[in-house]
Amino acid sequence: MTDAPDYLEAHIAERLAARAHELGISVDVRDDVVYLRGEVVSEERRRELEDAARTAAEGREIRNEVSVVPVRAPDGEETLS
Amino acid sequence: MIRLAAVGDIHVGPEVAGSYGPRLAGLSEHADVLLVAGDLTRHGTAAEGEVAAAELACADVPVVAVLGNHDYHSDEQDEIAAILRDAGITVLEGTGTVVDCGGTRLGIAGGKGFGGGFPGGSASDFGEPEMKAFVRHTREFADRFGSALLGLDCDLRVALTHYSPVAGTLAGEPLEIYPFLGSYLLAEAIDCAHADLAVHGHAHHGSEKGLTPGGTRVRNVALPVIQQAYAVYCLTPGGEGCDEALSERAELLGGA
């Protein structure tokens, strides 16, 4: 049973890729709680990946700690010489 | 001097249409060209490709792009490339192009690239057909990419890929997935051609700056890494990668 959370994490990550097309979200299962962490560009995508995770979470509570980071205006330049 | 704007992994689609394009307004005040390092879409559908083309069309400078793994997800990559080209965007896949930037010839060669890993942790062309196909896809690309880089008649030579040529710009990603994030074969091609700069995306949790073993600067411009609409790099011709050294290298390569 000790490695069950590992499999669950992997299954949720698979589901995030298949349904929400997000590959960069970290999935962490601790004490029967699923933590989602990472960044997306819109609130809609944040909700979407939570919904996708729920379909594989086997009824566990989900804490969606993914943050929404909108695209910032460019700032400065780097000179390479 | 030329100013090169670059971004990767914009991942647009109908649900966020119109959110990225406006950030490109007035780009010509900051840059001479815009390089897009793949993953323009999320699911790789033609519909998303249309959105990507419309967003990038907001740029008032030449746009040169490569596709990324997401752009291949729905098997509509050829359609996406055609849509981008119809919008006036140059799409590279193991090919090169030269952009005239106020008299300076900026040569760009690139393509999606692929994985395989880095020295000390890389896949080999050995064993099952699936494994060999994986490695050969990268090798075949690296060969075309290297020839395209060497074939550029230009003052400044820039490599543009989706996958990373080095591990340095992956810092922040889990080590376990490095072989899926890039390949040293890309760096080898870049070093053979003495490129002045290599730009890539793909590694959202990576870091911006790296270096090839041969000393070419590498920049990871994935949107979540640069955290701005695009990064701007200023390059001056006459540094490393000049023509003499280059023709020697071309001979070496031809004789290999």
Side-chain angles (χ1 to χ4, degrees):
Chain A
M1 281 308 284
T2 50
D3 54 0
D6 286 4
Y7 290 125
L8 185 64
E9 286 169 8
H11 294 158
I12 293 171
E14 282 286 324
R15 200 59 62 86
L16 291 180
R19 296 217 180 162
H21 303 90
E22 290 290 347
L23 305 181
I25 301 299
S26 83
V27 181
D28 200 8
V29 178
R30 281 190 198 176
D31 300 329
D32 267 355
V33 177
V34 178
Y35 296 86
L36 303 175
R37 299 189 183 100
E39 290 177 358
V40 292
V41 293
S42 72
E43 184 55 41
E44 192 182 348
R45 285 188 179 171
R46 186 176 174 276
R47 273 198 310 272
E48 216 174 85
L49 67 89
E50 181 177 326
D51 292 344
R54 186 159 288 116
T55 64
E58 298 169 5
R60 286 172 176 78
E61 182 192 341
I62 291 182
R63 299 230 181 117
N64 189 347
E65 297 180 355
V66 171
S67 48
V68 176
V69 181
V71 178
R72 272 201 303 125
D75 176 26
E77 57 192 32
E78 181 190 2
T79 301
L80 305 169
S81 55
Chain B
M1 185 188 76
I2 61 142
R3 299 160 308 162
L4 191 154
V7 64
D9 307 79
I10 59 174
H11 292 293
V12 299
E15 80 287 2
V16 291
S19 62
Y20 183 74
R23 290 296 191 194
L24 297 175
L27 178 57
S28 60
E29 290 168 31
H30 310 287
D32 304 300
V33 62
L34 173 65
L35 305 190
V36 185
D39 275 6
L40 286 68
T41 69
R42 264 208 315 164
H43 314 61
T45 62
E48 289 178 328
E50 297 278 6
V51 175
E55 305 284 321
L56 295 175
C58 296
D60 53 354
V61 296
V63 181
V64 180
V66 300
L67 300 185
N69 55 319
H70 280 250
D71 307 319
Y72 274 69
H73 184 65
S74 300
D75 289 323
E76 292 174 13
Q77 61 274 13
D78 294 342
E79 226 172 315
I80 293 173
I83 290 164
L84 295 172
R85 288 188 177 113
D86 283 347
I89 296 161
T90 302
V91 183
L92 304 176
E93 182 47 45
T95 52
T97 187
V98 177
V99 179
D100 188 319
C101 299
T104 303
R105 294 166 306 160
L106 171 67
I108 305 147
K112 177 177 66 64
F114 200 43
F118 304 93
S122 64
S124 301
D125 188 355
F126 180 87
E128 303 90 324
E130 290 81 2
M131 197 66 210
K132 287 189 276 210
F134 178 76
V135 174
R136 282 176 191 170
H137 181 55
T138 309
R139 195 173 289 282
E140 187 263 341
F141 170 78
D143 286 348
R144 285 187 294 124
F145 170 55
S147 302
L149 271 173
L150 282 168
L152 294 167
D153 181 17
C154 59
D155 306 307
L156 280 166
R157 190 174 263 99
V158 173
L160 173 65
T161 55
H162 179 59
Y163 284 78
S164 177
V166 296
T169 47
L170 305 182
E173 294 280 2
L175 265 176
E176 293 86 342
I177 68 168
Y178 275 30
F180 303 109
L181 298 178
S183 165
Y184 76 93
L185 294 172
L186 306 179
E188 215 170 7
I190 289 164
D191 280 339
C192 271
H194 283 218
D196 298 284
L197 174 68
V199 173
H200 74 88
H202 193 44
H204 292 202
H205 301 296
S207 36
E208 187 185 0
K209 299 179 183 181
L211 205 62
T212 64
T216 295
R217 265 84 48 109
V218 180
R219 295 292 179 266
N220 175 359
V221 295
L223 202 51
V225 171
I226 58 174
Q227 303 215 328
Q228 51 183 328
Y230 50 84
V232 178
Y233 304 110
C234 302
L235 284 166
T236 310
E240 286 198 4
C242 287
D243 290 331
E244 260 176 55
L246 211 63
S247 56
E248 273 173 40
R249 289 286 175 150
E251 277 168 34
L252 280 176
L253 208 72

